[in-house]
Amino acid sequence: MKIKEVIQHLERKFPLHWQEDFDNSGIQCGDKERTVTGVMVCFDMSEKVLDEAIAKNCNMVIAHHPLIYRADLKRIEPNNRIGKILFKAIENKLFLYSMHTNIDSGIGGGNDLFSEKLGLTDVKVLSPKKDMFKKLVVYVPFEQSNQLKEKLFEAGAGQIGKYEQCSYNVEGYGTFLPLEGSQPAIGNVGKIEEVKEERVEMIFPAHLQSRIVKTVYANHPYEEPAFDIFKLENEDRSIGLGRVGVLPEPMEVADFLQFAKEKLQLNVIKYSGKIDRKIRTVAVCGGGGSSYIKAALQANADIYVTGDLKYHDFFIPENKMILADIGHFEGENFIREIIYNEVSKNFTNFASYISEQEKLEIHFI
């Protein structure tokens, strides 16, 4: 089995178009045409992790965080952390791959598992992803409308949430005058033609635009099909960063914080806000979630659990919500479980491991 087959499976589950614009999920280096000998899963790529992969005959390393992340990376030399790791990977024919904000945002991804570990129910996306949809409007002769719609559905258009083959259709009449050199499917050159047509509207994922346009040209009866594509402001409420849900029963603040420490295996929680309240609605965001403090407030969360908060972030809620910083690693390290389970359960012809050498290098006294 080739590495690219593992990638294809992972990207069907957590597509790269789910990642944030600033991100660099996906291939970091390596030849995807090589045969997989084993997979090592980690949180961050390091020389120790690569040494462990080599020792266990793994030639594919899948990390949560991308190794190549900075836009200003212009050269690779073995005199810094990134350069050393890349040199070791290339010299040992290792393939490096990252699943970052695409798995953070994704259905069944990091923030869903975060919510699950805290026992939350009625879970919704805290910050739904934008710019995910476009709309096709195409005009087609009435008799050929169903055939074109069928092909567009097959290409991925017309899906809204848990509904498929969605379209809006209006009957009308189109007019056109074929000029010299044209080959009209209906009518004659030099004569104005009026045709009973259907205006068909369909939503589609923005990343499929090229496929949708090709489908129109390949299946529309006209030599020059008339169509429009519009950018939509609709959010995809099924994916995005962060989650908000409710506890089965309200808890005192101190009890919830202790509960969170146990469930997430935390050593310490840094928090602020009035503690004379009950916790029922909980917002979470793995990693650094300071950007979504206001979203948690708008969701009427009693507490927002995230990481990487700065001093002034703690003033934003103005005591309307408890703000809890559990750390970046602590709110995401369990993503390794998701990646490992996805690989090990679907591919049994090679061994998969979660790194045993990876440990948080930040210490508390």
Side-chain angles (χ1 to χ4, degrees):
M1 173 170 289
K2 293 184 182 296
I3 290 173
K4 66 180 181 182
E5 296 176 69
V6 179
I7 294 174
Q8 288 166 357
H9 173 81
L10 294 175
E11 292 181 2
R12 280 194 296 269
K13 180 77 173 180
F14 300 104
L16 291 182
H17 67 265
W18 284 356
Q19 69 181 308
E20 297 298 303
D21 293 339
F22 59 79
D23 202 5
N24 187 38
S25 296
I27 298 172
Q28 305 294 293
C29 78
D31 182 2
K32 63 183 179 182
E33 296 294 335
R34 292 187 184 279
T35 299
V36 185
T37 60
V39 171
M40 179 64 64
V41 178
C42 62
F43 188 70
D44 283 299
M45 296 175 194
S46 67
E47 290 190 87
K48 286 184 179 179
V49 169
L50 266 58
D51 287 337
E52 183 181 8
I54 294 167
K56 293 183 177 178
N57 195 34
C58 297
N59 65 346
M60 184 176 189
V61 178
I62 306 176
H64 177 47
H65 286 151
L67 178 65
I68 303 173
Y69 196 63
R70 300 190 331 236
D72 63 344
L73 181 64
K74 292 181 168 41
R75 63 179 61 88
I76 300 172
E77 297 180 279
N79 56 9
N80 56 51
R81 173 180 168 271
I82 295 175
K84 290 176 181 177
I85 294 170
L86 286 172
F87 261 74
K88 184 181 287 287
I90 293 169
E91 289 173 348
N92 290 277
K93 298 181 180 180
L94 301 182
F95 185 91
L96 307 185
Y97 187 83
S98 166
M99 301 177 69
H100 192 209
T101 54
N102 59 321
I103 199 171
D104 286 333
S105 297
I107 301 166
N111 282 294
D112 282 339
L113 183 55
F114 197 160
S115 304
E116 182 182 322
K117 285 181 177 290
L118 293 178
L120 303 184
T121 61
D122 192 25
V123 177
K124 297 179 175 61
V125 175
L126 181 62
S127 179
K129 198 160 179 57
K130 300 178 181 179
D131 301 323
M132 296 292 287
F133 298 112
K134 291 188 178 182
K135 183 169 74 172
L136 169 72
V137 177
V138 60
Y139 303 86
V140 59
F142 189 80
E143 290 77 8
Q144 285 83 31
S145 177
N146 286 338
Q147 180 181 348
L148 179 60
K149 283 188 283 189
E150 183 178 330
K151 293 298 183 181
L152 287 168
F153 292 146
E154 291 175 3
Q159 182 166 333
I160 305 174
K162 296 181 180 179
Y163 296 84
E164 293 183 347
Q165 300 190 25
C166 303
S167 69
Y168 183 75
N169 311 280
V170 180
E171 292 183 26
Y173 288 89
T175 62
F176 52 88
L177 173 63
L179 302 177
E180 289 293 334
S182 65
Q183 297 179 346
I186 299 174
N188 299 294
V189 173
K191 182 180 178 180
I192 293 179
E193 189 69 37
E194 183 178 87
V195 180
K196 183 181 180 181
E197 294 181 333
E198 193 166 52
R199 172 188 167 116
V200 178
E201 300 184 17
M202 289 186 186
I203 195 171
F204 66 89
H207 73 282
L208 294 182
Q209 179 169 327
S210 177
R211 183 194 300 178
I212 297 299
V213 171
K214 288 179 181 178
T215 300
V216 170
Y217 278 112
N219 297 279
H220 199 290
Y222 288 170
E223 183 179 21
E224 294 291 347
F227 64 93
D228 304 299
I229 291 178
F230 298 95
K231 180 180 178 181
L232 300 181
E233 297 297 325
N234 306 50
E235 297 175 330
D236 188 339
R237 294 184 297 170
S238 65
I239 61 171
L241 293 173
R243 297 292 185 270
V244 59
V246 295
L247 293 167
E249 297 293 336
M251 300 177 68
E252 299 289 345
V253 174
D255 292 337
F256 175 79
L257 293 174
Q258 186 59 41
F259 168 77
K261 286 182 70 174
E262 294 171 0
K263 292 297 181 180
L264 301 174
Q265 299 180 353
L266 307 174
N267 293 319
V268 63
I269 298 178
K270 182 167 62 174
Y271 69 95
S272 70
K274 292 182 178 180
I275 62 172
D276 56 341
R277 71 179 80 197
K278 295 279 189 178
I279 299 296
R280 181 66 188 272
T281 302
V282 180
V284 302
C285 184
S290 60
S291 300
Y292 307 106
I293 295 173
K294 292 182 180 178
L297 284 166
Q298 291 171 357
N300 296 314
D302 299 306
I303 188 169
Y304 177 39
V305 185
T306 187
D308 287 352
L309 298 180
K310 297 180 180 178
Y311 173 77
H312 290 96
D313 292 332
F314 287 97
F315 294 100
I316 295 175
E318 297 181 341
N319 287 319
K320 297 174 185 175
M321 174 181 74
I322 300 289
L323 199 54
D325 186 338
I326 64 172
H328 192 118
F329 177 86
E330 291 82 357
E332 288 190 321
N333 73 89
F334 41 76
I335 287 175
R336 294 177 297 181
E337 301 172 25
I338 302 174
I339 300 171
Y340 171 78
N341 289 336
E342 198 62 40
V343 175
S344 61
K345 290 179 180 178
N346 289 282
F347 300 96
T348 57
N349 50 342
F350 55 80
S352 301
Y353 307 89
I354 294 178
S355 174
E356 298 175 355
Q357 295 299 316
E358 191 172 40
K359 294 179 176 59
L360 181 63
E361 300 295 335
I362 300 171
H363 306 285
F364 302 91
I365 60 171

